[in-house]
């Protein structure tokens, strides 16, 4: 996988889910047993070129997500490197039992990619928005959950997942023309968060495309003499407990996520914090356990307090 300034800009322009298709196309060149399974989303997942270039490494199962997981488990048992993908709510909740049994219980290694997670498909309503996927899959034993902050990190997560021996769910958020967080290659380590901004008063833990808004919020707060440490928690499971322990000197800990505040990043942080003495209070910012009316991405981010201005407030 070639990582340079030109590619980083190109991936940013097309967004995380199209970048997934580009990454799969490159990885197929080096992985003989790679097999990608989709549910009628080759265009939406940026996989049209992959499908045409590697027809023997691609299966479209149709709108049958539960079958997709069963087929993926069968291919994994025959030593294929299997990737499954469709829109996030269908990749996770529609086939939750199959993921539990075939991936969790039977320990068949699959890389699952949930495209357009969070609120980006708000115009289609909450059938297509996904604010539950982390909470649902975090409770399945043996599952790694990754939520990249930008397109470079999405490439890193996809490459890691396919080559790992552990089943992984990758949650792709945001839209095209995605903000660039990482301007150059960096050492992506699963379970190890990244400090993007130093500060002492507040520690903001964030994940996914919303990380860019948290960095903007930190700048707003700096203008008000409030210093914020901003930490990209690209790995939700296993959570970086060391980073949480090191944040205990802050006056307040804030978790920000494009997900229900129940069951996601904030919950994972608070579960570990509950084992520690004298930990600071935690503010949960995300979707407040409700299904609102649909709307475009910017409208829903504003409504749920996930813009830079609302986060800083």
């Amino acid at each position: 996988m070639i990582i340079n300034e030109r590619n980083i800009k190109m991936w940013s322009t097309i967004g995380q889910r199209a970048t997934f298709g580009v990454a799969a196309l490159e990885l197929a060149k080096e992985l003989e047993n790679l097999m990608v399974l989709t549910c009628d989303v080759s265009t939406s997942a940026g996989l049209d070129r992959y499908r045409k270039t590697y027809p023997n490494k691609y299966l479209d199962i149709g709108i049958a997500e539960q079958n997709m997981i069963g087929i993926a488990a069968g291919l994994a048992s025959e030593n294929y490197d299997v990737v499954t993908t469709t829109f996030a709510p269908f990749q996770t909740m529609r086939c939750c039992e199959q993921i539990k049994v075939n991936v969790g219980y039977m320990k068949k290694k699959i890389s699952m990619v949930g495209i357009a997670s969070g609120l980006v498909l708000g115009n289609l309503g909450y059938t297509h928005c996904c604010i539950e996927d982390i909470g649902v899959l975090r409770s399945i034993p043996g599952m790694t959950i990754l939520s990249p902050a930008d397109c470079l990190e999405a490439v890193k997560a996809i490459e890691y997942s396919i080559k790992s021996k552990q089943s992984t769910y990758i949650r792709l958020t945001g839209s095209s023309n995605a903000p660039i967080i990482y301007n150059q290659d960096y050492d992506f380590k699963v379970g190890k968060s990244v400090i993007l901004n130093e500060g002492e008063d507040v520690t903001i833990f964030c994940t996914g495309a919303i990380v860019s808004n948290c960095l903007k919020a930190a700048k707003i707060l700096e203008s008000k003499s409030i210093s914020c440490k901003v930490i990209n928690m690209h790995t939700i499971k296993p959570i970086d407990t060391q980073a949480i322990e090191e944040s205990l000197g802050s006056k307040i800990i804030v978790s920000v996520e494009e997900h229900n505040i129940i069951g996601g990043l904030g919950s994972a942080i608070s579960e570990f914090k509950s084992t520690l003495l004298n930990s600071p209070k935690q503010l949960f910012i995300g979707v407040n356990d409700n299904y609102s009316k649909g709307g475009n991405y910017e409208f829903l981010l504003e409504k749920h307090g996930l813009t830079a201005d609302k986060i800083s407030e």
Side-chain angles (χ1 to χ4, degrees):
M1 187 75 65
I2 299 173
I3 295 175
N4 54 33
E5 185 177 350
R6 177 179 175 274
N7 281 344
I8 290 172
K9 287 182 178 178
M10 183 267 289
W11 296 334
S12 171
T13 300
I14 63 177
Q16 288 192 22
R17 57 172 156 150
T19 296
F20 159 61
V22 173
L25 187 67
E26 290 299 312
L27 288 166
K29 297 176 183 178
E30 59 179 281
L31 298 173
E32 183 179 350
N33 287 334
L34 181 63
M35 183 67 75
V36 175
L37 278 61
T38 72
C39 289
D40 199 26
V41 294
S42 64
T43 300
S44 299
L47 288 165
D48 278 337
R49 284 181 62 198
Y50 180 96
R51 173 176 58 85
K52 294 171 183 176
T53 306
Y54 298 103
N56 295 326
K57 294 183 177 184
Y58 180 87
L59 286 175
D60 191 330
I61 311 303
I63 305 175
E65 291 82 359
Q66 294 161 326
N67 288 341
M68 177 176 69
I69 297 300
I71 293 167
L75 289 167
S77 70
E78 295 298 321
N79 298 317
Y80 283 92
D81 298 310
V82 188
V83 179
T84 65
T85 190
T86 185
F87 292 106
F90 315 135
Q91 171 67 83
T92 56
M93 288 174 288
R94 183 167 290 173
C95 47
C96 184
E97 183 185 0
Q98 284 72 27
I99 295 171
K100 169 194 169 181
V101 174
N102 293 316
V103 181
Y105 188 40
M106 295 175 65
K107 296 182 173 63
K108 300 300 180 185
K109 190 265 171 170
I110 300 172
S111 300
M112 298 178 290
V113 179
I115 59 172
S117 191
L119 301 169
V120 70
L121 294 183
N123 282 326
L124 298 175
Y126 279 82
T127 56
H128 284 64
C129 289
C130 197
I131 61 169
E132 314 89 352
D133 49 351
I134 296 173
V136 168
L137 294 189
R138 204 163 61 87
S139 62
I140 295 179
M143 183 73 65
T144 297
I145 300 176
L146 305 176
S147 179
D150 70 355
C151 296
L152 170 59
E153 199 161 67
V155 168
K156 294 275 189 177
I158 291 157
E159 187 172 21
Y160 165 85
S161 175
I162 293 173
K163 295 180 179 180
S164 170
K165 294 181 180 179
Q166 188 91 0
S167 284
T168 307
Y169 172 61
I170 303 173
R171 183 181 203 251
L172 300 183
T173 52
S175 60
S176 56
N177 298 312
I180 295 173
I181 305 298
Y182 299 101
N183 289 297
Q184 58 186 5
D185 196 1
Y186 82 103
D187 187 16
F188 174 82
K189 292 182 179 179
V190 167
K192 184 64 177 174
S193 60
V194 182
I195 299 172
L196 300 176
N197 195 72
E198 291 286 0
E200 297 179 356
D201 297 322
V202 179
T203 297
I204 301 175
F205 290 104
C206 45
T207 190
I210 214 69
V211 167
S212 63
N213 285 359
C214 292
L215 288 168
K216 293 174 185 175
K219 288 186 177 180
I220 294 171
L221 290 167
E222 282 173 12
S223 70
K224 300 177 181 180
S225 299
I226 300 171
S227 68
C228 294
K229 179 182 285 189
V230 179
I231 300 179
N232 170 22
M233 296 289 260
H234 54 68
T235 306
I236 310 296
K237 184 181 179 183
I239 199 76
D240 185 352
T241 55
Q242 182 180 348
I244 299 170
E245 284 194 81
E246 290 173 353
S247 73
L248 298 185
S250 300
K251 296 173 183 176
I252 189 169
I253 289 174
V254 184
S255 55
V256 184
E257 56 193 316
E258 206 175 317
H259 186 275
N260 194 339
I261 58 171
I262 296 174
L265 171 64
S267 292
I269 292 169
S270 65
E271 286 164 14
F272 179 70
K273 275 176 71 242
S274 70
T275 68
L276 306 174
L277 292 174
N278 302 318
S279 61
K281 290 185 177 181
Q282 180 176 339
L283 175 63
F284 295 75
I285 299 178
V287 178
N288 193 19
D289 196 31
N290 69 86
Y291 294 121
S292 65
K293 291 182 178 179
N296 67 33
Y297 193 32
E298 291 73 21
F299 169 80
L300 289 178
L301 291 179
E302 177 79 20
K303 183 174 183 63
H304 294 292
L306 291 166
T307 61
D309 287 338
K310 288 291 183 69
I311 293 167
S312 64
E313 285 178 21

